């Protein structure tokens, strides 16, 4: 970490039915605290393409960086996190596949969530129906829920069956936020992922979008991760220089 970059950069990675604007409530506070922050905006066409976009985005901020992934974004950071510029991973109600898994693999071991009663496949994309937003972001105000639906971004219908190499949580420190009232990804599946990666784990009384419904909790977890990797990086540098 160089002298001009005292804090790690933060790169946000969105899920399906969302984009970088889903982090709008947490970005300003982190910027104000001195972090370089950027949201990777990828097309949800292929997992490999989305991972490549994140790696390009890492080049737009100083290194080292923390990747923060929401929902499907967890699959993205699991692969993109293998990049040497990444020093930590924060998962928000997120998927975290192992080397032999896809975004869908572990979900089949749990009952389908409510949101999957409210989608439609059209033009090769998976669209959320208006009533689905209640399952996706039910603890937001009515106005906010309407904005979430209006800005939701449909993934390729086969996106969750894509697979790429790399399991960053096996080698890099991880933090995980479990959304206890999630009706999009099973909370017990989130707990499974968190335990398997040995993440520092937090549980919040939230829908699938805690960064919108409880942004201060999410900011606190990212702060904790940033402080931990900053101290770890400083410690390694001290050992190298013999100080």
């Amino acid at each position: 970490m160089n002298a001009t970059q005292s804090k790690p950069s933060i790169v946000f990675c969105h899920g399906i039915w969302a984009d970088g604007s889903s982090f709008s409530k947490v970005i300003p506070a982190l910027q104000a605290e001195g972090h370089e922050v950027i949201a990777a905006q990828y097309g949800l066409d292929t997992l490999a393409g989305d991972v490549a976009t994140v790696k390009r985005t890492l080049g737009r901020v100083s290194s080292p960086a923390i990747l923060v992934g929401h929902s499907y974004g967890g699959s993205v950071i699991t692969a993109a996190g293998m990049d040497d510029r990444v020093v930590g991973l924060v998962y928000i109600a997120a998927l975290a596949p192992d080397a032999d898994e896809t975004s869908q693999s572990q979900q089949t071991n749990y009952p389908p969530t409510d949101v999957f009663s409210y989608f439609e496949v059209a033009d090769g994309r998976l669209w959320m129906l208006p009533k689905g937003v209640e399952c996706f972001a039910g603890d937001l105000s009515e106005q906010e829920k309407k904005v979430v639906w209006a800005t939701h971004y449909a993934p390729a219908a086969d996106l969750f069956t894509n697979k790429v190499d790399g399991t960053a949580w096996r080698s890099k420190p991880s933090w995980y936020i479990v959304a206890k009232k999630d009706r999009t990804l099973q909370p017990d599946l989130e707990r499974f992922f968190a335990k398997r990666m040995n993440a520092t784990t937090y549980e919040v009384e939230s829908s699938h979008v805690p960064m919108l419904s409880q942004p201060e909790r999410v900011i606190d977890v990212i702060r904790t991760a940033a402080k931990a990797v900053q101290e770890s990086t400083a410690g390694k540098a001290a050992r190298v220089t013999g100080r």
Side-chain angles (χ1 to χ4, degrees):
M1 190 175 295
N2 60 47
T4 60
Q5 178 66 11
S6 60
K7 295 186 176 183
S9 298
I10 312 294
V11 177
F12 286 100
C13 301
H14 61 81
I16 69 168
W17 298 330
D19 67 3
S21 67
S22 62
F23 302 107
S24 60
K25 292 185 179 181
V26 300
I27 287 174
L30 296 168
Q31 289 175 326
E33 292 170 14
H35 295 279
E36 287 186 56
V37 183
I38 194 168
Q41 298 278 42
Y42 37 77
L44 301 177
D45 297 311
T46 66
L47 178 56
D50 295 343
V51 169
T53 297
V54 173
K55 291 182 178 180
R56 288 193 296 270
T57 305
L58 282 166
R60 309 314 305 162
V61 290
S62 300
S63 298
I66 292 172
L67 294 182
V68 180
H70 171 243
S71 193
Y72 159 78
S75 295
V76 177
I77 71 171
T78 294
M82 296 299 293
D83 191 286
D84 290 341
R85 294 168 289 187
V86 177
V87 291
L89 309 165
V90 177
Y91 291 82
I92 305 173
L95 299 167
D98 206 344
D100 59 345
E101 297 170 354
T102 66
S103 296
Q104 185 61 36
S105 298
Q106 289 294 336
Q107 292 192 74
T108 59
N109 294 328
Y110 293 79
T113 53
D114 297 345
V115 77
F116 290 103
S117 297
Y118 302 101
F119 74 88
E120 179 180 19
V121 177
D123 300 317
R125 315 297 288 198
L126 189 67
W127 300 89
M128 178 168 60
L129 299 174
K131 288 184 178 180
V133 77
E134 191 65 38
C135 308
F136 189 74
D139 51 355
L140 301 184
S141 69
E142 288 303 314
Q143 182 179 18
E144 286 182 302
K145 282 186 280 193
K146 288 179 179 179
V147 172
V148 167
W149 186 83
T151 58
H152 92 277
Y153 192 52
D158 64 349
L159 184 64
F160 275 26
T161 63
N162 290 185
K163 182 181 175 299
V164 297
D165 293 332
T167 311
W169 51 258
R170 288 202 169 274
S171 59
K172 299 189 179 180
S174 302
W175 290 259
Y176 199 109
I177 299 172
V178 174
K180 294 172 69 175
K181 296 181 178 179
D182 203 331
R183 296 168 61 194
T184 295
L185 189 65
Q186 286 287 358
D188 281 343
L189 176 55
E190 296 172 22
R191 295 182 181 106
F192 166 81
F193 285 136
K195 182 177 181 180
R196 183 170 69 172
M197 70 174 70
N198 196 31
T200 302
T201 305
Y202 305 81
E203 298 209 1
V204 298
E205 297 284 344
S206 170
S207 69
H208 190 55
V209 289
M211 65 282 193
L212 288 171
S213 64
Q214 298 195 33
E216 284 299 331
R217 293 292 304 276
V218 174
I219 291 166
D220 283 344
V221 173
I222 296 172
R223 281 192 192 113
T224 299
K227 182 179 179 181
V229 299
Q230 188 175 353
E231 290 174 349
S232 175
T233 302
K236 290 176 183 177
R239 288 193 293 273
V240 169
T241 59
R243 293 176 183 172

